Amino acid sequence: MPDDAVVNNVINPITALAFVVDQSGGPSLLLAGEGPYLKAFDHQRGRLLATKRIFETQAIHGITTFHLSNDNKHEHVVELLIWGGRCVWRGLLRHGMAAEPSLIEFELKSEWKLDDWILDACFDPLVDSTTVGRSLHHHTAILVTAHNIVHAVLVDEEAGPVLKRITAGPGSMLYSAHICWSSNGIILVASGTVFGEILIWSFLENALAADATSPAPAFLHSKLTGHEGSVFGIRISTDLSQLGYKDVTRLLASCSDDRTIRLWDISDLETGRTITSQDMENVETLTPSLEDGEKRLFANRCVAQSMGHSSRIWNVHFLTSGNKANVISFGEDGTAQVWQLTKKENGADSSQPHTLDELALSHQQTYAYHSGKNTWASALVRRQHGRHTLCTGGADGRIVSYDIPEELGSNEQGALSSKWTMQDVAVQLEENKTLLGNAAKFGPGIHTTICEQIFDALTGTWTIEREIRSALPIFPSGTFSGEAQFENRPQRAVEFDKELLYIENGKFTTAQGLAFTATRRYVYRYQRKVDTMSVWFVKPEENTSVDYLFHELQLHSGTDASHQNSPPVNGTVKSSSYHLCVEDHYTPSYVFRLEDSLLQHWQLAYQVQGPQKDYTAEASYVRKAKTIHPIISSEEETSATPKAKRPRLQVSPNHIMEKDGFKSYVFLRDGSFLVTTAQGMVLIGSLPSSTGSDVLKTPAVKWKFLGQYEALKSSSIAKRATSSDVVLLSGSAGTVHLFDPRRSEVLPLFDLDSKVAFFHAQNSNLDNGGHLVLAVCLGQSVATILQFNHDGKDSSDMARQAGRLNLPADFVVTSACYLETLRIWMLGSRSGAVAFYEELSFCNDRALKPFSVMTNVHGNESITVIMCLPVPHRDLPPSVLTAGRDGHYAVHSITTSNAPSSVVDTLHRSTTPFGPNIEGAVLDAKTQNLLLWGFRSKEFVVWNATKDIETMSIDCGGAHRNWGYAPRNDGSDGGTFMWTKASVFYVHSQPSASHRIISAGGHGREIKAMAISPVVEQPNGSKVQYIATGSEDTALRIWSCSPRTVDSEHNFQCLGTFRKHTTGIQQLRWSADGKLLFSTAGYEEFFAWRVRPVPFLGIGAACEAVCPRVTEDGDLRITDFALAEYLRYPRGYSNPPTKHQLISLVYSDSSIRVYRYPSAPNGRSFELFQLGTYTTNCLTASSYLQANTHKVLCTASSDGHLVFWPIKHPLQNSINDHVEHCLTNPVPTLQYYYGVPVHQNSIKTLFTHSLHPENLDSLIVTGGDDGAIGITRRILPRRHLYPLTETLLIPKAHAAAINAVLYLRDASSRDLPEGIQQQHIFVSSGNDQRLRTWVVRIKERIARVPIIEGVDVRLLRDQYTCVADVSCLGKVVMENGVGVVVAGIGMECFTDVE
């Protein structure tokens, strides 16, 4: 066994998972097998508690647990049985019982090694833990191996626990097996073979007696056929008699290489045929025999099957709940998929489901929470109320936990979902009038009076029929027919709360038949303080300005006095008044008639008497076009509604709402949301604050009606100002309205020339504060800037124009942001450009032109997000986040100079894996995590870019619809999404992310490249090393690594994931200063990344240059490249030199291209310097040999040779200095000296180390496909024209191909043995999963003695690494020397390699 004193830092595929449940049956601890390590996590908090190395060279493949009784009430004792390959480990786990569990210890009891692979194991589940001997802490467990042999862990009174062979099933090669311990003394075994067969056999429990001397008999029950590939997973269900099917009590689920999932009925298994010794040798002896009546052994028992996953399926589990049998499968595609056993619509009697024609497996849900390939491990526990908790582990090293509800298709993780038609909304609003009881709708203790409700209900259009009867011949009698419009009037006086402009138009016909048009206008006002409605004359010359008072109304209902504040459901509300106009007396009287609490019509009568007047006018008003306004009494209002409501229409569900449609959505800061409709209606919706079971008893959305507005009909845009409660709304007429949720009112704010195509609003702390609004009208090339203050008080002049911006040609604004610290506007366009505008002068009315326009910020796609990020330090320039429909998001540093010009430095640029459409972004207020959301095909996806995980995925039908999203902003990664689909409103709200990450893991595919930066000093003075890794999953990850020590308790911390490559990454290299990272991949991709710390993201990387392709189609692959730095001095040496990179790219067609690249961020271009070609053999690796002013490129190839290429000085033939020369002459040719044979076949890896730069004395270490290590020394002796090169080959240095060699350190010291000049240490690793440390001693050179005889190599240390397919090694700075990071399928850090 290995020494447990040192635990390596490791990220490996998760190959086994098991829960340790608490007393309530819920998961307390999660045990994970990660390579040979057993890790224990606090499941609730996702915290690693302890790590234990179980096996020396074997990965853990399975874990099973059994809870033991214990007298100590402060701890749990759990017996563990762990297996992997042929190894078995049995021991105890002790952990505390506090609210936050703490691990006490692992205790080894026994371990064994079998002669065959173990496929399944389990403890006896029927044994009471209190009966187990506490002295031994042990009870029976059984195991089944790959050749269908059963072993048992038994208790021997003298020898203690022993592993004993019990029996064997039919002989076959198995891929999977499952043991089912039944209560009737029979142990059932299901075995899945490599030939696609399933063998069901059993043996008796009494065979487990410790004193048994001979193998127990076994019985074959069934041989199931049907799979067309190897059976990878198999599972026997528990008792399913509750399903309600006659005679169906047990099912078996299987999955296969053929991508099918099958269910088999194994309920009627009788005592089967005894398995003979011949059967044990060969399963082919089990053939149907009509003579002996064994035909039923081979009956078709498959009752349902389905094709699932996009690749192979590894395992299956049953999810039994209530009367349903569900199955969950785990596949090579990294997903878990849930299936439900259902009856086919045309199936037979469900009481006897024994044929494939009767039942079907229907797909219900897919959980895709792993990256890359393979979900290897799973653990499942059933919770209360039928809910299951599932943990999965994948090849990416990630452990994910999530809940699966009892009812498939219902909401997971406490989420709420609901859908509404306009008719549904209308019905709820109608029901609220009579079902809400005595709750006060306008706030606690506040009641809305009859007068205010009648006033609100007047809004809209009415048809008028008026009859005038005059007693004087000088004043004609006649009739008037027309329409009256009550419109919201924003220019109200301060002392009034609401105002309506009354406009009447129609035709007056006298009794003599004379007809002419007639019009009149009034202003109706309501004052809440005195609860009075008043009517005012309008100045004739202005049509909207108030002149003087006409009369006042005091409304009262026609019921008893106890209900004077509540309008009757059916009845009348009346008012009369008086007005003296000079000598004329006016006595108006109003009658408002209510039917079912709806104001459908009303009457107004005037009796006028004076010296020249004596007439009566009786008018009848009827609501036009089915728009009906119900009056809801104050006792029927809900307490959630603010006090003051602006004009609103309550509508009947049988009228206008049934033909209406949802238009736009915007969320309010209190969690509610505002909805506009095509008919100009404004609704407020709210979700239940609780997510418990009581939510199911109430509607998922409670609706409240605010009003109907003519200006918002047919087309409407709704936007909430950033960090504010204010919502702006605009329709087709160009009027922008303001919604104040504190008063629940909608007010006209300002008028624009035409329909608004885009507007943006945000808080402003400049000048007078308030809000800034940028609006662009349809078809116009000017953006209008407005500023308004809104403190909740009445104001007749809230908004004023602050400036105008001239838009560039063909610039369609899609996003905007105002940077207050720099006082500039940034506008994003539909074509991916950003325009910058200087500080606005609010007293200057001229339209400003942009002082800078950046194109292709997001390609040619729309920029959907421009968001100013908080500045963590005052000395840092402001940062801005942009995102677009090209699928990229970027962080830019913005500075300005006196020029005026803008300097935009892109700090970070990356993509999300969910698709091309990024529509929104926010920084979580609590965690400062960056959240992005957008669409992936038909799904809406929310992505946590800081954690690099998906937090929400909703199938909504795609991006082309009205929708809205709001994150919870409390660190939970939850949020609410609303959308319209087929004219139906949907809402989905989840309190947290769809899953929890227990362990973050890493790459989803094998790592092919790794580079470790030099120690880099951060802006805060700290020092850090970065580990860059590239994988076949095309992702580039950067990890943190302390320069002092690698924390063995916590895994590598991923600082960022960057996606730009389209094929697997082949090689990575850092520049000498750690600021540039170069990456290469297939498809001739070679990128230069500038890496810097970025606020809120940890680290940022922006691809600042792309090397041009060699071929048009990109058919070549860059297998490796060499990197070196040189200084370039400006002419005259007046300025300091600049750093440049000399890069030699090695291509798969045996060509070499040498480029110069400037390290300064303003260069960003690759300059071809030299070009060379090798033979037809492929070049595989490269490195520079350094010698004073000379550089020699050393390459390795698939023919086993080392080749040396002299590189010209990088300052020669500079394109910048000799443009004409380079245009008239071809690129200089790069030629090699000669080739040195080293290996028998391909060289996989190499490194070079300079021993003496003066004489080109270099050490070259190579590793090959032949498992050998080559030590090559190249030196230029005195008086020699050409270097001497000789090789020492170490055959069988590894048992397989060597993929990585790494120079560790110079171990030379004063006490070296006599005759030894230098001593160097390097490490090697390969496919044999061994990490070997070597020392190379360089002896004093003796004349006329071959130089290679002066080299001595010795093996210092040989260790096992749990990383399979090792591809690269890296060196990190440790507290007491150096450490080695091994990468391949996973990562592992060795803290002591010498």
Side-chain angles (χ1 to χ4, degrees):
M1 286 297 298
D3 186 4
D4 287 334
V6 177
V7 177
N8 293 339
N9 197 11
V10 62
I11 295 179
N12 252 2
I14 306 299
T15 51
L17 290 172
F19 279 121
V20 176
V21 298
D22 55 24
Q23 293 177 339
S24 65
S28 174
L29 297 180
L30 178 68
L31 304 180
E34 189 171 354
Y37 299 100
L38 178 66
K39 293 186 175 181
F41 295 89
D42 179 349
H43 176 262
Q44 183 63 31
R45 297 168 179 82
R47 185 168 63 92
L48 178 65
L49 299 177
T51 305
K52 168 78 174 179
R53 186 161 190 166
I54 300 298
F55 302 122
E56 183 176 1
T57 61
Q58 176 59 55
I60 296 172
H61 291 157
I63 307 168
T64 186
T65 63
F66 184 81
H67 291 260
L68 298 173
S69 176
N70 190 38
D71 292 334
N72 188 346
K73 297 183 179 180
H74 299 287
E75 70 172 10
H76 279 302
V77 180
V78 180
E79 186 172 1
L80 303 178
L81 189 68
I82 302 172
W83 67 94
R86 299 184 296 138
C87 303
V88 183
W89 186 96
R90 188 187 67 86
L92 299 180
L93 165 65
R94 304 176 187 271
H95 69 96
M97 297 176 64
E100 182 175 351
S102 58
L103 199 65
I104 298 175
E105 64 177 0
F106 289 107
E107 180 182 348
L108 171 66
K109 286 297 184 179
S110 309
E111 57 182 333
W112 302 274
K113 193 168 187 177
L114 280 68
D115 56 1
D116 200 359
W117 274 55
I118 302 165
L119 298 181
D120 192 31
C122 69
F123 287 108
D124 182 356
L126 307 177
V127 175
D128 186 357
S129 63
T130 60
T131 65
V132 179
R134 295 193 180 98
S135 60
L136 293 176
H137 286 301
H138 174 80
H139 76 293
T140 303
I142 55 178
L143 309 93
V144 60
T145 67
H147 282 82
N148 236 357
I149 299 174
V150 173
H151 297 261
V153 179
L154 304 174
V155 177
D156 187 281
E157 295 181 357
E158 298 180 358
V162 296
L163 185 66
K164 182 179 179 180
R165 174 170 173 167
I166 299 300
T167 188
S172 184
M173 297 175 60
L174 308 184
Y175 258 132
S176 58
H178 183 228
I179 305 169
C180 180
W181 210 309
S182 61
S183 58
N184 58 0
I186 297 176
I187 299 175
L188 193 64
V189 180
S191 307
T193 75
V194 298
F195 309 108
E197 302 164 340
I198 300 173
L199 307 175
I200 312 295
W201 61 283
S202 67
F203 62 95
L204 299 179
E205 185 179 353
N206 56 20
L208 302 177
D211 55 354
T213 58
S214 59
F219 306 94
L220 177 67
H221 299 282
S222 187
K223 178 181 177 182
L224 307 177
T225 58
H227 280 297
E228 297 178 1
S230 300
V231 180
F232 291 138
I234 198 166
R235 184 69 54 172
I236 302 172
S237 73
T238 57
D239 184 13
L240 300 178
S241 56
Q242 73 276 11
L243 290 180
Y245 294 135
K246 181 180 179 182
D247 299 331
V248 177
T249 59
R250 196 178 296 276
L251 293 174
L252 181 140
S254 62
C255 59
S256 168
D257 195 14
D258 62 7
R259 294 174 49 208
T260 64
I261 303 163
R262 296 173 184 254
L263 288 184
W264 314 79
D265 180 10
I266 58 172
S267 304
D268 59 347
L269 296 179
E270 301 175 358
T271 303
R273 159 182 166 176
T274 302
I275 300 174
T276 64
S277 59
Q278 185 180 9
D279 297 333
M280 296 180 185
E281 294 294 332
N282 187 2
V283 73
E284 296 302 324
T285 62
L286 297 174
T287 57
S289 174
L290 297 177
E291 289 77 11
D292 58 14
E294 292 179 352
K295 188 68 176 179
R296 64 174 190 81
L297 293 176
F298 305 90
N300 180 16
R301 297 174 177 268
C302 184
V303 296
Q305 71 177 52
S306 183
M307 178 76 73
H309 296 267
S310 59
S311 53
R312 293 175 291 185
I313 306 173
W314 297 129
N315 207 354
V316 287
H317 278 289
F318 277 98
L319 297 171
T320 55
S321 179
N323 60 350
K324 296 181 178 63
N326 305 317
V327 177
I328 184 167
S329 57
F330 310 92
E332 187 181 17
D333 57 4
T335 67
Q337 299 187 18
V338 181
W339 308 81
Q340 187 174 81
L341 181 63
T342 59
K343 179 187 174 184
K344 290 183 178 180
E345 294 183 0
N346 58 348
D349 182 9
S350 62
S351 64
Q352 190 69 24
H354 284 282
T355 67
L356 186 61
D357 295 333
E358 298 172 1
L359 297 177
L361 274 175
S362 60
H363 182 269
Q364 298 294 315
Q365 184 72 39
T366 296
Y367 301 98
Y369 299 143
H370 293 276
S371 61
K373 287 187 175 182
N374 298 314
T375 300
W376 289 124
S378 59
L380 187 68
V381 62
R382 184 176 180 183
R383 309 290 295 275
Q384 295 178 352
H385 309 296
R387 185 176 293 269
H388 292 80
T389 294
L390 176 67
C391 278
T392 57
D396 56 358
R398 177 176 293 178
I399 303 176
V400 180
S401 176
Y402 47 95
D403 288 345
I404 300 177
E406 179 179 10
E407 292 294 330
L408 296 178
S410 62
N411 301 318
E412 297 87 11
Q413 303 296 110
L416 295 175
S417 293
S418 181
K419 66 178 182 178
W420 295 76
T421 64
M422 288 299 300
Q423 184 74 7
D424 296 333
V425 176
V427 169
Q428 188 193 91
L429 293 174
E430 185 78 5
E431 290 175 348
N432 286 343
K433 295 184 301 182
T434 55
L435 297 180
L436 292 179
N438 294 324
K441 186 172 182 179
F442 297 109
I446 300 174
H447 296 272
T448 304
T449 63
I450 303 171
C451 187
E452 183 174 2
Q453 294 180 66
I454 293 291
F455 184 92
D456 291 338
L458 290 175
T459 307
T461 304
W462 305 82
T463 58
I464 312 174
E465 294 292 337
R466 180 182 294 118
E467 183 180 0
I468 300 177
R469 295 185 294 272
S470 176
L472 300 177
I474 61 173
F475 195 94
S477 301
T479 59
F480 173 85
S481 298
E483 291 184 357
Q485 178 76 34
F486 284 91
E487 296 181 353
N488 195 21
R489 183 174 182 273
Q491 299 86 4
R492 66 179 185 272
V494 176
E495 62 269 22
F496 293 98
D497 296 282
K498 305 177 182 182
E499 291 191 4
L500 294 174
L501 177 63
Y502 175 88
I503 304 174
E504 177 183 299
N505 293 289
K507 179 185 292 186
F508 179 71
T509 304
T510 66
Q512 292 76 25
L514 181 64
F516 53 88
T517 59
T519 182
R520 70 171 67 184
R521 296 190 175 208
Y522 298 108
V523 171
Y524 281 64
R525 288 174 163 177
Y526 174 74
Q527 191 173 15
R528 187 176 294 113
K529 183 177 181 180
V530 294
D531 191 28
T532 300
M533 185 191 311
S534 56
V535 183
W536 297 69
F537 290 105
V538 174
K539 294 181 180 179
E541 64 275 11
E542 297 185 17
N543 287 332
T544 58
S545 299
V546 176
D547 195 353
Y548 58 92
L549 177 66
F550 186 6
H551 58 266
E552 294 183 342
L553 289 79
Q554 293 286 344
L555 299 180
H556 58 87
S557 64
T559 57
D560 59 90
S562 63
H563 295 85
Q564 288 301 304
N565 282 330
S566 302
V569 175
N570 293 284
T572 59
V573 176
K574 299 180 180 180
S575 176
S576 59
S577 185
Y578 171 76
H579 171 70
L580 176 64
C581 180
V582 188
E583 297 178 337
D584 299 325
H585 301 267
Y586 287 79
T587 307
S589 60
Y590 293 80
V591 178
F592 299 98
R593 301 189 181 280
L594 304 179
E595 295 180 6
D596 193 21
S597 296
L598 301 176
L599 179 59
Q600 301 187 40
H601 53 86
W602 55 285
Q603 287 85 36
L604 170 59
Y606 286 101
Q607 190 171 16
V608 182
Q609 290 182 344
Q612 303 294 326
K613 298 179 182 179
D614 186 3
Y615 69 90
T616 59
E618 297 178 354
S620 176
Y621 293 79
V622 179
R623 178 71 64 183
K624 183 182 178 182
K626 299 183 180 180
T627 306
I628 302 174
H629 295 61
I631 301 299
I632 302 179
S633 65
S634 58
E635 288 82 359
E636 295 170 343
E637 306 283 359
T638 61
S639 59
T641 310
K643 175 181 177 181
K645 292 184 74 176
R646 285 289 152 180
R648 64 195 186 279
L649 290 176
Q650 303 291 357
V651 293
S652 170
N654 298 319
H655 293 84
I656 192 169
M657 294 191 83
E658 65 184 8
K659 297 182 179 180
D660 205 350
F662 301 98
K663 199 66 181 178
S664 62
Y665 311 112
V666 64
F667 284 90
L668 308 179
R669 298 181 73 184
D670 62 356
S672 60
F673 50 88
L674 181 145
V675 179
T676 65
T677 74
Q679 294 297 326
M681 298 186 184
V682 180
L683 306 169
I684 296 294
S686 60
L687 295 171
S689 58
S690 171
T691 58
S693 59
D694 57 325
V695 173
L696 301 177
K697 303 176 183 178
T698 61
V701 179
K702 291 185 178 180
W703 295 98
K704 182 173 62 176
F705 186 79
L706 291 184
Q708 183 181 18
Y709 302 88
E710 188 71 23
L712 299 180
K713 284 186 177 180
S714 72
S715 175
S716 60
I717 304 175
K719 290 284 185 70
R720 181 169 66 88
T722 56
S723 305
S724 172
D725 284 325
V726 172
V727 176
L728 299 181
L729 303 99
S730 179
S732 57
T735 301
V736 177
H737 292 72
L738 170 71
F739 169 71
D740 182 5
R742 291 172 296 181
R743 302 183 64 178
S744 195
E745 60 183 358
V746 177
L747 301 172
L749 186 60
F750 50 83
D751 291 322
L752 296 174
D753 296 336
S754 59
K755 178 181 178 180
V756 177
F758 170 85
F759 66 81
H760 165 82
Q762 66 182 71
N763 279 349
S764 174
N765 296 319
L766 299 177
D767 301 328
N768 297 326
H771 296 80
L772 285 176
V773 179
L774 181 143
V776 182
C777 293
L778 189 66
Q780 295 189 1
S781 59
V782 176
T784 303
I785 308 294
L786 300 110
Q787 187 179 32
F788 71 92
N789 292 282
H790 183 66
D791 55 5
K793 299 178 181 179
D794 293 326
S795 173
S796 60
D797 187 20
M798 295 174 58
R800 61 188 179 91
Q801 181 172 305
R804 293 182 299 146
L805 307 178
N806 267 333
L807 302 178
D810 300 323
F811 194 96
V812 180
V813 180
T814 55
S815 55
C817 181
Y818 181 69
L819 278 65
E820 291 191 354
T821 55
L822 299 178
R823 301 177 77 96
I824 64 174
W825 276 95
M826 292 178 61
L827 306 186
S829 77
R830 185 179 294 174
S831 60
V834 176
F836 297 83
Y837 294 83
E838 62 186 353
E839 176 182 359
L840 292 177
S841 175
F842 292 116
C843 62
N844 193 345
D845 195 36
R846 67 182 179 87
L848 299 177
K849 295 182 179 180
F851 63 81
S852 179
V853 177
M854 289 181 60
T855 59
N856 297 317
V857 177
H858 285 274
N860 295 321
E861 299 293 335
S862 297
I863 298 177
T864 55
V865 176
I866 301 180
M867 182 176 70
C868 189
L869 299 175
V871 180
H873 305 290
R874 292 183 179 179
D875 54 345
L876 294 178
S879 297
V880 172
L881 173 78
T882 64
R885 290 180 181 152
D886 62 343
H888 289 78
Y889 66 97
V891 177
H892 314 273
S893 176
I894 310 296
T895 59
T896 58
S897 61
N898 297 327
S901 63
S902 174
V903 178
V904 179
D905 187 9
T906 301
L907 306 178
H908 174 76
R909 183 176 177 86
S910 187
T911 62
T912 61
F914 62 73
N917 294 330
I918 301 177
E919 301 292 343
V922 73
L923 278 178
D924 189 279
K926 183 175 181 180
T927 63
Q928 295 296 294
N929 286 345
L930 175 62
L931 303 178
L932 304 168
W933 54 86
F935 292 89
R936 174 181 59 206
S937 184
K938 294 184 178 181
E939 295 179 318
F940 175 80
V941 178
V942 182
W943 185 264
N944 187 318
T946 305
K947 298 179 181 179
D948 196 45
I949 60 171
E950 180 183 299
T951 61
M952 178 188 285
S953 176
I954 304 296
D955 186 354
C956 66
H960 301 290
R961 63 198 63 255
N962 298 323
W963 62 276
Y965 175 74
R968 290 177 64 91
N969 230 7
D970 57 1
S972 65
D973 282 341
T976 302
F977 176 56
M978 302 180 300
W979 73 99
T980 304
K981 185 176 182 181
S983 300
V984 178
F985 167 82
Y986 293 82
V987 60
H988 176 90
S989 180
Q990 58 186 52
S992 61
S994 56
H995 60 286
R996 293 191 303 114
I997 303 296
I998 305 297
S999 182
H1003 288 283
R1005 298 286 300 277
E1006 56 271 26
I1007 297 172
K1008 289 296 186 181
M1010 177 173 62
I1012 299 181
S1013 74
V1015 177
V1016 179
E1017 185 172 353
Q1018 302 297 297
N1020 59 5
S1022 62
K1023 295 182 178 181
V1024 68
Q1025 266 187 302
Y1026 296 131
I1027 303 175
T1029 57
S1031 165
E1032 285 291 339
D1033 62 5
T1034 74
L1036 171 64
R1037 290 178 180 259
I1038 296 181
W1039 312 75
S1040 66
C1041 182
S1042 168
R1044 295 180 56 82
T1045 183
V1046 175
D1047 192 342
S1048 61
E1049 181 180 354
H1050 299 89
N1051 280 334
F1052 301 96
Q1053 181 182 2
C1054 183
L1055 300 178
T1057 303
F1058 314 102
R1059 299 173 178 90
K1060 184 175 177 63
H1061 285 285
T1062 58
T1063 59
I1065 297 175
Q1066 299 293 315
Q1067 190 57 272
L1068 297 169
R1069 296 271 193 271
W1070 288 96
S1071 62
D1073 58 5
K1075 296 181 180 180
L1076 285 175
L1077 176 65
F1078 296 90
S1079 63
T1080 182
Y1083 206 55
E1084 300 178 22
E1085 294 177 340
F1086 185 76
F1087 301 152
W1089 305 78
R1090 188 164 295 276
V1091 180
R1092 285 166 288 187
V1094 174
F1096 314 111
L1097 288 176
I1099 194 170
C1103 180
E1104 65 179 26
V1106 177
C1107 187
R1109 289 179 181 171
V1110 176
T1111 64
E1112 183 178 354
D1113 297 329
D1115 293 333
L1116 301 181
R1117 179 169 50 93
I1118 302 175
T1119 57
D1120 197 7
F1121 66 95
L1123 182 68
E1125 185 179 277
Y1126 68 95
L1127 298 178
R1128 185 169 186 173
Y1129 292 87
R1131 293 179 180 179
Y1133 294 88
S1134 58
N1135 294 319
T1138 58
K1139 294 179 181 180
H1140 289 244
Q1141 307 296 325
L1142 185 66
I1143 306 169
S1144 296
L1145 302 183
V1146 176
Y1147 289 82
S1148 56
D1149 65 348
S1150 300
S1151 64
I1152 299 175
R1153 286 167 173 78
V1154 184
Y1155 292 89
R1156 290 179 288 208
Y1157 182 80
S1159 296
N1162 56 356
R1164 302 182 181 178
S1165 63
F1166 290 92
E1167 178 186 343
L1168 184 60
F1169 179 57
Q1170 279 185 284
L1171 176 63
T1173 304
Y1174 186 52
T1175 66
T1176 56
N1177 293 287
C1178 181
L1179 297 175
T1180 57
S1182 64
S1183 181
Y1184 283 126
L1185 300 178
Q1186 180 72 40
N1188 290 342
T1189 60
H1190 291 80
K1191 277 187 172 58
V1192 176
L1193 177 66
C1194 175
T1195 63
S1197 62
S1198 58
D1199 60 1
H1201 284 62
L1202 290 177
V1203 183
F1204 302 94
W1205 311 71
I1207 304 294
K1208 296 175 61 176
H1209 195 281
L1211 296 182
Q1212 296 179 4
N1213 295 340
S1214 171
I1215 288 181
N1216 294 333
D1217 296 335
H1218 306 280
V1219 176
E1220 294 182 359
H1221 172 80
C1222 293
L1223 291 176
T1224 57
N1225 294 276
V1227 176
T1229 301
L1230 180 65
Q1231 295 181 342
Y1232 63 92
Y1233 283 149
Y1234 53 86
V1236 178
V1238 178
H1239 291 269
Q1240 296 178 5
N1241 44 28
S1242 180
I1243 298 175
K1244 306 279 287 186
T1245 179
L1246 69 83
F1247 75 79
T1248 62
H1249 180 72
S1250 178
L1251 300 178
H1252 295 286
E1254 293 81 7
N1255 59 359
L1256 284 176
D1257 192 356
S1258 301
L1259 190 69
I1260 307 167
V1261 178
T1262 57
D1265 250 342
D1266 54 2
I1269 290 179
I1271 310 294
T1272 301
R1273 188 176 183 186
R1274 186 175 187 270
I1275 188 171
L1276 180 64
R1278 293 181 180 178
R1279 304 191 202 99
H1280 280 66
L1281 297 177
Y1282 300 102
L1284 300 178
T1285 306
E1286 296 180 5
T1287 299
L1288 172 66
L1289 192 66
I1290 307 173
K1292 299 181 180 179
H1294 284 264
I1298 299 173
N1299 299 323
V1301 290
L1302 172 70
Y1303 180 82
L1304 209 55
R1305 68 182 183 92
D1306 186 346
S1308 303
S1309 60
R1310 295 181 179 180
D1311 56 352
L1312 286 175
E1314 184 178 354
I1316 303 298
Q1317 286 185 332
Q1318 299 183 43
Q1319 187 170 266
H1320 302 272
I1321 296 176
F1322 74 92
V1323 292
S1324 63
S1325 189
N1327 292 341
D1328 59 355
Q1329 294 187 241
R1330 308 300 302 183
L1331 179 67
R1332 290 179 173 164
T1333 307
W1334 309 81
V1335 58
V1336 180
R1337 292 179 175 178
I1338 308 300
K1339 301 177 183 178
E1340 295 179 357
R1341 187 168 183 274
I1342 303 174
R1344 298 185 181 86
V1345 174
I1347 60 175
I1348 200 60
E1349 292 189 8
V1351 177
D1352 179 53
V1353 182
R1354 297 182 182 180
L1355 179 65
L1356 287 182
R1357 189 164 184 177
D1358 183 10
Q1359 302 181 78
Y1360 169 81
T1361 174
C1362 61
V1363 176
D1365 293 342
V1366 175
S1367 61
C1368 41
L1369 300 170
K1371 179 175 65 176
V1372 293
V1373 179
M1374 307 296 294
E1375 186 175 13
N1376 298 315
V1378 295
V1380 174
V1381 179
V1382 183
I1385 301 180
M1387 299 170 63
E1388 185 175 20
C1389 181
F1390 287 82
T1391 59
D1392 184 14
V1393 295
E1394 298 183 21

